[in-house]
């Protein structure tokens, strides 16, 4: 179901709780909402009002990738990025890393399975922005 993207800083600045397989519906709503927004390339569950650590981003093929409980495990090549956020009015400058490794859970047949992924460029930047959202950090 397509949800509204919120700007409520009290909700957005709260660190998210770990997500479980029971949060499958939240993940589906997140993907629907991301696909429905022409400008969005990524979205965190707290941006649709659910303070669970679930993120979604569009991969190079424009398909939503969902990650439960994403964590950065490695980061290389820092740079300064100016980022916009759907939940904020003004863009801000922030340090990002060109190359990252992420550990996360993927929902497979109703169960969470641990996964790892190497990302770079736009996908890496989107995932770092989203992991910040999960920790209650806004750019
Ligand atoms: Zn954001």
């Amino acid at each position: 179901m397509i949800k509204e993207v919120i700007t409520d800083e009290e909700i957005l600045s709260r660190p998210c709780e770990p997500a479980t397989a029971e949060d499958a519906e939240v993940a589906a709503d997140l993907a629907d909402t991301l696909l429905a927004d022409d400008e969005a390339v990524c979205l965190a569950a707290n941006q649709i009002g659910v303070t669970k650590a679930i993120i979604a981003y569009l991969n190079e093929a424009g398909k939503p990738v969902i990650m439960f409980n994403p964590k950065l495990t490695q980061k290389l090549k820092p740079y300064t990025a100016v980022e916009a956020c759907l939940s904020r009015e003004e863009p801000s400058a922030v340090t990002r890393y060109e190359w990252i490794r992420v550990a996360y859970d993927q929902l497979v047949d109703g169960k969470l399975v641990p996964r790892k992924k190497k990302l770079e460029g736009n996908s890496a930047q989107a995932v770092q922005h989203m992991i910040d959202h999960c920790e209650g950090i806004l750019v």
Side-chain angles (χ1 to χ4, degrees), residues 76-94:
L76 293 170
K77 299 192 195 166
Y79 65 99
T80 301
V82 175
E83 291 186 355
C85 176
L86 285 182
S87 294
R88 290 236 130 162
E89 278 179 22
E90 299 289 324
S92 359
V94 63

Side-chain angles (χ1 to χ4, degrees), residues 30-47:
L30 200 55
D32 290 346
T33 308
L34 177 58
L35 286 171
D37 192 311
D38 290 338
E39 284 173 42
V41 291
C42 53
L43 208 56
N46 59 355
Q47 291 183 282

Side-chain angles (χ1 to χ4, degrees), residues 47 84-87 129-130 133 138-139:
Q47 291 183 282
C85 176
L86 285 182
S87 294
H129 183 106
M130 291 299 115
H133 269 294
L138 291 161
V139 289

